[in-house]
């Protein structure tokens, strides 16, 4: 989780271009610019990959915005953090 930069993520996706990837979870710490860049790359390259994020220490307002704008497909809510446990 959060182990890549957006450039690393795109390089990885290019490296597995022949794999029909279904899901990519938390490639980098969520931020608008990187997710917009990644979504654009996916669209430009005809890749239909579900992007999931918001599990570890997320900016909830940002994640709701990215989800509403369909930049991120799956909002992984950290139930433990939300419950204050």
């Amino acid at each position: 989780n959060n182990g890549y930069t957006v450039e690393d993520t795109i390089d990885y996706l290019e490296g597995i271009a022949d794999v029909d990837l279904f899901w990519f979870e938390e490639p980098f710490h969520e931020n608008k610019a990187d997710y917009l860049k990644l979504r654009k790359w996916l669209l430009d390259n005809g890749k239909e990959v579900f992007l999931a994020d918001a599990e570890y220490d997320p900016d909830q307002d940002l994640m709701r915005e990215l989800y509403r704008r369909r930049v991120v497909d799956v909002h992984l809510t950290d139930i433990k953090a939300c419950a204050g446990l």
Side-chain angles (χ1 to χ4, degrees), residues 2-4 7-8 14-16 18-20 22-23 30-32 37 39 41 43 46 51-52 56-57 60 68 76 80:
N2 299 328
Y4 295 92
E7 290 80 13
D8 292 337
E14 289 174 339
I16 62 162
D18 58 337
V19 173
D20 189 19
F22 177 75
W23 175 284
E30 60 273 356
N31 69 77
K32 185 187 284 188
K37 182 175 182 175
R39 177 57 71 189
W41 185 89
L43 292 170
L51 297 177
Y56 178 74
D57 192 28
Q60 293 292 348
R68 277 193 307 270
L76 298 170
K80 184 176 178 182

Side-chain angles (χ1 to χ4, degrees), residues 26-85:
E26 293 192 349
F28 42 79
H29 192 74
E30 60 273 356
N31 69 77
K32 185 187 284 188
D34 287 350
Y35 262 115
L36 288 171
K37 182 175 182 175
L38 178 56
R39 177 57 71 189
K40 181 180 182 330
W41 185 89
L42 291 169
L43 292 170
D44 290 350
N45 288 277
K47 301 291 184 183
E48 294 184 27
V49 177
F50 283 100
L51 297 177
D53 210 324
E55 186 176 24
Y56 178 74
D57 192 28
D59 175 336
Q60 293 292 348
D61 292 331
L62 171 63
M63 289 313 303
R64 281 189 286 274
E65 176 189 348
L66 293 175
Y67 181 76
R68 277 193 307 270
R69 292 179 63 189
R70 303 209 188 280
V71 177
V72 171
D73 303 294
V74 180
H75 184 276
L76 298 170
T77 301
D78 184 343
I79 296 169
K80 184 176 178 182
C82 291
L85 301 174

